[in-house]
Amino acid sequence: MKSFPFIYNEPREFLSSLQPKEWANFFLGELNPRFSVTATKAKVIEVKEETSDSKTIVLKPNWLWKGFASGQHVPVTVEIAGRRVTRFYSLSSHPNDKYLQITVKRQKGGLVSNFINQNIKKGDILELGEASGDFVLTKELPKDLLFLAGGSGITPIHSILRSLQTLNYTGKATLLYFVRSYDDIIFKSSFDSMQKNSNWLTVHYVFSDIPKEGYASGFLSKEILETYVPNLKSSSVYVCGPSPMQTKALSLLEGLPVKSELFLLPGQNVGKVKKEGTVDVFLTLSHKTIQVKGERSILEELEEQGIYPQSGCRMGICHTCVCKKQTGSITDLSNGETSQLGEENIQICVSRAESNLELEL
Ligand code: FES
């Protein structure tokens, strides 16, 4: 005889185990997996290949989606091998577009970026959180704007440039887009069309790995800025890219108004290893002691050992990973400061163990 799942064999028991909101979510989910009264779910409408290692996911969110401003990012949750994993991605579309878009580039060792590129297809459902972040345009638009993008750091900048286009921006904007090679350029046709249909935008591509005739090559430098940004001294600057580029930009642009959004690649938020051997981390809620090397963030070291605390942005922004350190010392990788031994809340995605620790996990 065909056996039905518990929810159909024992419907009364199943329904009584549900809270009203879960009850509503269950039935709405049976009607349409995008429907929910508590979670912002979005259906994948299209998957577009941008380059050999990046894809744009076009999403239709449910009614709980509250919108976003160009330049903001959104937490995206996917289920990988039965585990819910969240990462933050910048929205690459314009806020008035019919659908949302995130553009995800594969990162070496990046669990979610690789999963999305390999597995997400039309019809799938992703869970979103609220958009946030202050990497956005100011109310009063500066007359000179400079955008510095590195690799996938182009995604929020693409959305911001589209906003400037809609606002009929009357100033001058320069985009310097640092990317490995011509084939790695994301949104080339969109930038071409923006440049063609406006007189406010100039785009320069700079290739770090494979030079191409007629294009600049190298990394961000004083010479490149002087060559391609005639109005540098009066520019307001937006920088989005990996941390070495951010650091370089901040040193070269001292004195200018700069907004920056950091892109951390897996394992990149690590300073030099300070010591040899391991330290003990006692997890007080699960009564487990594990050994970590203090070579990477505590979050990464826990995950490597099969322990998955809640996390989101993994770069010290969203506070999803905050937990109480009861004893022990950590280094905050975002500012290099080493903590006292006492009790305090820490963000384990940007904290490295310096001594034995007790964490409320
Ligand atoms: S995961 Fe966002 S602050 Fe740690």
Side-chain angles (χ1 to χ4, degrees):
M1 202 180 92
K2 189 175 177 190
S3 149
F4 289 101
F6 169 73
I7 55 171
Y8 297 110
N9 277 331
E10 311 281 347
R12 201 176 308 162
E13 286 77 359
F14 174 69
L15 291 177
S16 66
S17 72
L18 293 174
Q19 298 301 310
K21 279 184 179 169
E22 288 172 348
W23 189 87
N25 278 341
F26 171 73
F27 281 107
L28 287 170
E30 291 286 291
L31 277 177
N32 183 327
R34 194 168 55 89
F35 294 173
S36 168
V37 292
T38 52
T40 306
K41 294 186 179 181
K43 183 174 179 177
V44 177
I45 297 294
E46 192 186 349
V47 177
K48 295 191 257 184
E49 190 156 314
E50 298 287 352
T51 64
S52 62
D53 64 355
S54 61
K55 286 184 177 162
T56 288
I57 314 295
V58 184
L59 296 164
K60 180 182 182 183
N62 67 12
W63 50 75
L64 295 176
W65 174 248
K66 294 194 179 125
F68 73 103
S70 282
Q72 289 191 311
H73 44 243
V74 62
V76 177
T77 302
V78 291
E79 197 172 306
I80 303 176
R83 178 162 72 91
R84 282 164 56 80
V85 198
T86 303
R87 295 289 184 275
F88 277 60
Y89 291 104
S90 294
L91 291 140
S92 54
S93 48
H94 183 276
N96 295 348
D97 287 349
K98 186 172 176 196
Y99 299 123
L100 307 174
Q101 287 188 3
I102 55 168
T103 302
V104 181
K105 184 176 165 67
R106 279 174 186 267
Q107 307 292 352
K108 202 171 162 209
L111 178 68
V112 179
S113 66
N114 281 294
F115 177 83
I116 288 179
N117 270 275
Q118 261 163 21
N119 299 289
I120 292 299
K121 56 188 186 313
K122 186 175 170 181
D124 284 350
I125 301 290
L126 302 184
E127 195 172 317
L128 308 179
E130 268 187 42
S132 63
D134 57 8
F135 189 72
V136 295
L137 287 168
T138 47
K139 245 190 188 153
E140 202 155 313
L141 296 176
K143 82 176 174 38
D144 293 316
L145 281 164
L146 168 62
F147 296 94
L148 300 176
S152 53
I154 195 64
T155 52
I157 290 176
H158 180 255
S159 178
I160 290 175
L161 291 176
R162 291 218 30 226
S163 275
L164 287 172
Q165 189 181 32
T166 328
L167 292 166
N168 293 320
Y169 178 57
T170 52
K172 291 280 174 215
T174 303
L175 166 63
L176 287 186
Y177 180 6
F178 295 84
V179 64
R180 280 184 313 196
S181 70
Y182 184 87
D183 292 338
D184 290 295
I185 298 174
I186 304 174
F187 307 130
K188 171 108 180 13
S189 57
S190 177
F191 293 135
D192 285 349
S193 129
M194 273 191 240
Q195 279 196 104
K196 204 170 141 204
N197 300 313
S198 71
N199 55 6
W200 56 268
L201 178 64
T202 309
V203 181
H204 298 288
Y205 302 104
V206 188
F207 304 133
S208 59
D209 287 16
I210 307 174
K212 188 174 169 76
E213 211 182 318
Y215 292 87
S217 52
F219 294 94
L220 177 60
S221 65
K222 192 166 171 258
E223 293 68 41
I224 284 186
L225 288 176
E226 283 171 357
T227 309
Y228 295 105
V229 194
N231 48 356
L232 180 64
K233 287 205 167 81
S234 55
S235 293
S236 294
V237 190
Y238 286 74
V239 188
C240 188
S243 58
M245 181 187 151
Q246 300 257 337
T247 313
K248 184 78 185 171
L250 293 177
S251 74
L252 291 172
L253 301 166
E254 227 179 314
L256 294 181
V258 178
K259 276 197 183 210
S260 68
E261 180 96 324
L262 184 60
F263 254 65
L264 288 176
L265 307 177
Q268 197 181 18
N269 53 352
V270 182
K272 285 216 166 351
V273 183
K274 283 188 168 175
K275 55 192 168 318
E276 292 184 349
T278 59
V279 296
D280 287 345
V281 179
F282 178 54
L283 308 177
T284 59
L285 298 181
S286 46
H287 298 281
K288 270 189 193 152
T289 301
I290 59 159
Q291 273 86 43
V292 305
K293 292 186 189 136
E295 287 179 351
R296 295 187 284 161
S297 73
I298 296 170
L299 176 63
E300 286 175 303
E301 299 220 40
L302 290 175
E303 286 178 342
E304 198 175 76
Q305 303 201 33
I307 297 165
Y308 300 101
Q310 283 217 325
S311 69
C313 66
R314 305 170 76 86
M315 57 176 88
I317 297 172
C318 69
H319 293 265
T320 309
C321 68
V322 168
C323 83
K324 191 181 281 174
K325 164 177 77 69
Q326 292 173 330
T327 60
S329 170
I330 56 103
T331 291
D332 183 335
L333 297 164
S334 64
N335 56 23
E337 282 174 17
T338 301
S339 75
Q340 301 290 319
L341 292 167
E343 191 174 293
E344 64 180 329
N345 284 337
I346 61 167
Q347 291 166 297
I348 55 173
C349 70
V350 287
S351 299
R352 182 180 63 204
E354 290 297 334
S355 70
N356 290 347
L357 296 173
E358 280 187 23
L359 298 179
E360 208 173 272
L361 277 175

